[in-house]
Amino acid sequence: PVWLLDIDGVVNALARVLPSAGWPREAWVQRLVRADIPDRGLMSVPVLAAQPVLDFITHVHESGAAEIRWHSTWRTAAVTTLAPALGLPAIPVSIAPEWGQSAAMWWKIPAARRVAEAGRRLVWTDDQLTAYRADARNEPELTALERWSGALLLSTDPELGLSPDDLRTIAAFLGVTVTT
């Protein structure tokens, strides 16, 4: 399987304060990451991530249960600055030549479609899946992916990121164990 993994709203919870739901207070890791974000330049980005999420990503990567690919506007900054700051393994960036091009369809969809067309199972976690599904230009493609039994599309709560329930759902789909 291939896991297309977004960052903001998925790994990086976008809450302004520690979320009271999902993970215990002591599970949260906070970092200020200085990163060169494409189309935004050099920025200091506050990152709030749950350690169980980071541990699960590392486990899935190291076990080979899925080929994880960053699928985010962070692009190479995910590899060069975010992953090292969070103690994550070297995860490559998704192949998405559509990124940065103006197009009618959401730039993330073609990469997901290519995974499906290659006959590989797909996990796609993104906090904006629901919002983009509401756009008539994206809805047919996203619906087709969701109906395919080889795909798991999870739209996360951006304030929390991946929740314990989300990790259990992904683990069941991949056939791995998770402790939350």
Side-chain angles (χ1 to χ4, degrees):
V2 173
W3 181 0
L4 297 179
L5 179 60
D6 187 28
I7 295 172
D8 294 322
V10 178
V11 176
N12 178 23
L14 298 178
R16 295 186 188 272
V17 296
L18 288 180
S20 58
W23 302 106
R25 194 168 186 79
E26 64 275 5
W28 292 99
V29 174
Q30 295 180 335
R31 300 282 185 270
L32 188 60
V33 178
R34 189 139 171 89
D36 189 4
I37 307 291
D39 290 343
R40 295 190 184 142
L42 196 57
M43 304 173 59
S44 292
V45 181
V47 174
L48 177 63
Q51 189 63 51
V53 170
L54 303 176
D55 294 344
F56 182 74
I57 292 167
T58 300
H59 172 70
V60 169
H61 174 76
E62 289 177 352
S63 71
E67 178 186 331
I68 303 174
R69 299 176 188 168
W70 293 118
H71 203 44
S72 166
T73 57
W74 281 66
R75 305 307 294 151
T76 58
V79 177
T80 60
T81 55
L82 179 79
L86 295 176
L88 289 169
I91 296 169
V93 175
S94 66
I95 298 168
E98 300 82 5
W99 183 82
Q101 298 175 7
S102 48
M105 186 185 305
W106 187 22
W107 70 270
K108 292 185 177 186
I109 292 173
R113 187 182 333 119
R114 284 190 289 274
V115 170
E117 288 170 352
R120 297 185 68 183
R121 295 174 66 220
L122 169 69
V123 175
W124 183 5
T125 51
D126 199 298
D127 63 313
Q128 296 183 334
L129 279 165
T130 300
Y132 276 95
R133 185 180 303 111
D135 184 328
R137 297 171 294 182
N138 301 304
E139 189 275 331
E141 291 281 347
L142 290 172
T143 298
L145 283 168
E146 287 175 331
R147 288 185 179 155
W148 176 49
S149 63
L152 172 64
L153 279 64
L154 281 177
S155 188
T156 58
D157 173 351
E159 297 289 309
L160 178 62
L162 286 165
S163 71
D165 286 342
D166 293 334
L167 295 192
R168 284 190 285 274
T169 299
I170 295 166
F173 185 81
L174 296 176
V176 297
T177 57
V178 60
T179 55
T180 55

